[in-house]
């Protein structure tokens, strides 16, 4: 009987996403805050992109980097959250085989692209504060273009084998205990040995995210050292406020990823609903906060939004 079940699972092209297996009755209540965060994330990022696009004074390298971050946030949100809400509201738990691995690729590649973008933006702030006279010659449109290509190529190519390796496995079951097609949740259903699959994701993840985080910490360390030497009244407080909020957001981004790894490794001691919730929040909270912390709090962005609103009146 088991062999027949396994055979039927293998031939079925779809997976089933079972969100919050121990608290499925909570899904309707959770869908409300998730929906609000999703709308906030999309609205804030669209506003930021339109402001930068329509205001000529914002056509500068720093704001191009903000645009890249917003695009990455929007793709991550649209890849994950609509399917989660569809599952919650309409009970559509099925996801196609190809769609599942496409979602896996986008999540892995775009999360690491976002980390790399944080690193480039930290370097931008380092040059602006530590070498202000050289800033116009270092941070140019060409620099942003090269950094964007590097971000996409590096992270896209190195994370591509993760879904490919998972798609080549033989699956004995099709029920994924998650709202999202993460590599660990999916590959766990395989009949094959997944040691190499998990090892590759672990090494690539820590190499990409770890190297980005180390460079970010170094950049902000140099910034802090220079800022503390500034004697102009109010300049230290202003610089610390701006860079501090940036670094806290990056730290939150990195900490959530670390918690996800720990909870997955210790899944026997932690209820499966915990990493599932963290997975969803990680695709909602940073995209909602990034445009606010990096964009709306910036004086030039505020002015740009006000200029656009005046045109609409």
């Amino acid at each position: 009987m088991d062999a027949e079940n396994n055979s039927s699972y293998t031939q079925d092209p779809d997976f089933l996403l079972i969100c919050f297996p121990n608290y499925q009755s909570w899904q309707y209540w959770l869908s409300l805050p998730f929906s609000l965060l999703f709308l906030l994330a999309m609205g804030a990022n669209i506003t930021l992109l339109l402001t930068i696009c329509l205001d000529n004074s914002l056509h500068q390298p720093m704001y191009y980097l903000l645009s890249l971050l917003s695009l990455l946030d929007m793709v991550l949100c649209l890849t994950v959250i609509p399917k989660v809400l569809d599952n919650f509201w309409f009970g559509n738990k099925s996801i196609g085989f190809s769609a599942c691995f496409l979602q896996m690729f986008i999540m892995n590649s775009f999360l690491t692209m976002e980390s790399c973008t944080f690193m480039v933006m930290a370097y931008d702030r380092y040059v602006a504060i530590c070498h202000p006279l050289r800033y116009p010659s270092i941070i140019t449109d060409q620099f942003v273009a090269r950094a964007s290509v590097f971000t996409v190529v590096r992270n896209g190519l190195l994370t591509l084998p993760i879904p490919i390796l998972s798609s080549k496995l033989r699956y004995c079951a099709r029920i994924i205990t998650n709202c999202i097609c993460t590599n660990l949740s999916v590959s766990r259903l395989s009949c094959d040995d997944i040691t190499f699959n998990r090892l590759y994701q672990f090494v690539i993840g820590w190499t990409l995210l770890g190297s980005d985080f180390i460079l970010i910490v170094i950049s902000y360390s140099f910034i802090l050292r220079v800022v503390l030497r500034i004697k102009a009244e109010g300049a230290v407080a202003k610089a610390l406020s701006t860079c501090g909020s940036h670094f806290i957001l990056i730290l939150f981004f990195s900490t959530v990823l670390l918690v996800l790894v720990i909870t997955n490794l210790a899944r026997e001691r932690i209820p499966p609903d915990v990493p599932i919730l963290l997975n969803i929040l990680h695709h909602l909270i940073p995209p909602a906060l990034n445009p606010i912390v990096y964009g709306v709090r910036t004086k030039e962005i505020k002015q740009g939004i006000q200029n656009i609103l005046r045109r609409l009146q």
Side-chain angles (χ1 to χ4, degrees), residues 114-130:
E114 189 164 348
S115 171
C116 191
T117 304
F118 280 136
M119 182 264 291
V120 176
M121 292 174 73
Y123 176 71
D124 170 84
R125 292 299 84 203
Y126 161 74
V127 177
I129 293 174
C130 300

Side-chain angles (χ1 to χ4, degrees), residues 16 20-21 36 38 59 84 86 106 108 112 128 153 155 160 185 208 218 229 287 294 299:
L16 292 179
F20 303 108
L36 293 175
F38 175 67
H59 294 178
V84 172
D86 184 40
I106 292 175
N108 284 307
T112 52
V153 172
N155 298 290
L160 181 59
S185 298
L208 296 177
I218 292 173
R229 293 176 182 173
Y294 279 96
K299 180 181 177 181

